[in-house]
Amino acid sequence: MVENQTLKQTPLYNYYREQGIKVADFGGWAMPIQFSSILKEHEAVREKVGIFDCSHMGEIMITGPNAETYLDRLLTNDVSKMQDYSVQYNLLCTENGGVVDDVMLYRYCTEEFMLVCNASNTKKVFEWMKLYLVGNVELKDISEKMGLIAVQGPSAEMIVQKMTDTDLKNISRHHFLVQQTISGIPSILISRTGYTGEDGFELYVDTKKTRELWEFFIDAIREIDGLPCGLGARDTLRLEAGLPLYGQELSEEQTPLEAGLNFAVKLKKESPFIGKEALLKQKEVGVTQKIVGFITLERGVPRHGYNVYSEEDQHIGVVTSGTMSPTLHKGIGMALIDEAYSKMGTKIKIEIRNKYIQAEVVKKTFLK
């Protein structure tokens, strides 16, 4: 166990202590890397179901008559096109186009939204949003009052459905319902979202009820050999799904266009947004570097920070994320490289422990 009590704790911290689950410092939070083994937890999510403690994520409520207009000014995606009770992937950018954070935006109505941000960025995002606050909009950081449990995998719907009268088939992908009851626990927000590439749900629950809900799910998933999962499996799962991680594929030094997130940048939307001019200019001239996916063609596990070379031994970039894929049984990863080498099928080399490993540029969605 991490003994440093200065680390932030989720509502499940005492559960981890009582169960002897090791935790590590993750961006200032005491979080489990694994409960059993990363491989077993990864496979449980791909084949059956796994549950994750995501209570470290930040939640910020945005309310008021001008909430939609304010968010459209702040975010790169088109907030005005959202349906009520839908969820949108979005980005906060600096004036230079660098990414302050990538976030999920929950829309209740034009006057009420919830923004979910990365745990280590919560304070930064809240202060950033305050800088651009306008009249008739109120911000409230509710992170300390909110627990979050993710239930992911092909059996996720079956497991959750057993515990609620809510017809989960009425919640389509990237939509949510509020004030739902699960196993007698009221006022839960059920969202059909996730970070694993699998179908599943994210359950926002009162901090005081998080452990109770977690233990209900521990009992439920045991019946089908599901597993509680830590951050290790969460990382290999999101990488197989080609999903970016802030601090690796995203930062204030890189733009969403370089990260290949053009789908979330609406340069033609009616509302101008922070960073638009820089991104518009970059799109016109073209990016000089780009995040790409790759697979290794030889034995070797690529890791964050490893150098990338062309076939002519020219240094062209760096690995941002890498692992041995538990599903594909080969090295996979993402790298920030010179745009000239980003075409699908381009042969590249990864330097792993002073040895060059052959690799190939592929789509980032490794499982499709």
Side-chain angles (χ1 to χ4, degrees), residues 131-176:
L131 285 177
Y132 298 92
L133 196 59
V134 296
N136 292 324
V137 176
E138 182 179 353
L139 301 180
K140 192 172 184 179
D141 184 351
I142 60 168
S143 305
E144 292 187 0
K145 297 181 179 179
M146 192 74 79
L148 174 56
I149 295 172
V151 186
Q152 298 281 295
S155 299
E157 181 179 302
M158 181 268 288
I159 286 292
V160 181
Q161 190 64 79
K162 282 185 176 180
M163 304 164 72
T164 180
D165 292 332
T166 301
D167 187 350
L168 298 176
K169 294 192 182 305
N170 290 332
I171 309 177
S172 55
R173 182 73 175 159
H174 290 135
H175 285 73
F176 67 99

Side-chain angles (χ1 to χ4, degrees), residues 197-336:
E198 297 292 333
D199 185 24
F201 300 88
E202 290 179 305
L203 311 173
Y204 295 83
V205 59
D206 187 298
T207 299
K208 297 175 183 176
K209 292 291 185 180
T210 306
R211 176 168 177 168
E212 186 178 350
L213 185 64
W214 174 266
E215 291 181 327
F216 277 132
F217 276 107
I218 287 289
D219 291 339
I221 65 173
R222 185 178 293 135
E223 297 176 3
I224 60 167
D225 296 326
L227 289 174
C229 305
L231 294 176
R234 185 172 168 85
D235 194 53
T236 54
L237 288 159
R238 72 92 190 168
L239 187 48
E240 282 188 345
L243 300 173
L245 177 64
Y246 194 87
Q248 294 187 211
E249 281 73 43
L250 298 169
S251 74
E252 292 190 21
E253 284 68 50
Q254 293 164 224
T255 73
L257 302 184
E258 293 169 338
L261 299 175
N262 304 51
F263 72 92
V265 180
K266 298 297 190 289
L267 293 169
K268 293 182 179 179
K269 72 174 180 178
E270 289 186 13
S271 171
F273 60 88
I274 298 165
K276 177 181 176 179
E277 293 305 317
L279 294 173
L280 199 58
K281 183 177 180 181
Q282 187 178 50
K283 186 173 184 181
E284 289 173 353
V285 301
V287 298
T288 58
Q289 55 182 358
K290 192 174 180 181
I291 294 283
V292 298
F294 68 83
I295 57 170
T296 58
L297 304 176
E298 299 177 274
R299 291 186 63 183
V301 182
R303 300 293 187 195
H304 171 77
Y306 286 1
N307 286 313
V308 182
Y309 294 86
S310 69
E311 284 200 297
E312 296 76 28
D313 295 334
Q314 180 180 348
H315 183 253
I316 58 172
V318 64
V319 174
T320 53
S321 294
T323 191
M324 176 61 69
S325 166
T327 304
L328 302 175
H329 306 293
K330 60 178 69 174
I332 64 170
M334 289 189 260
L336 181 66

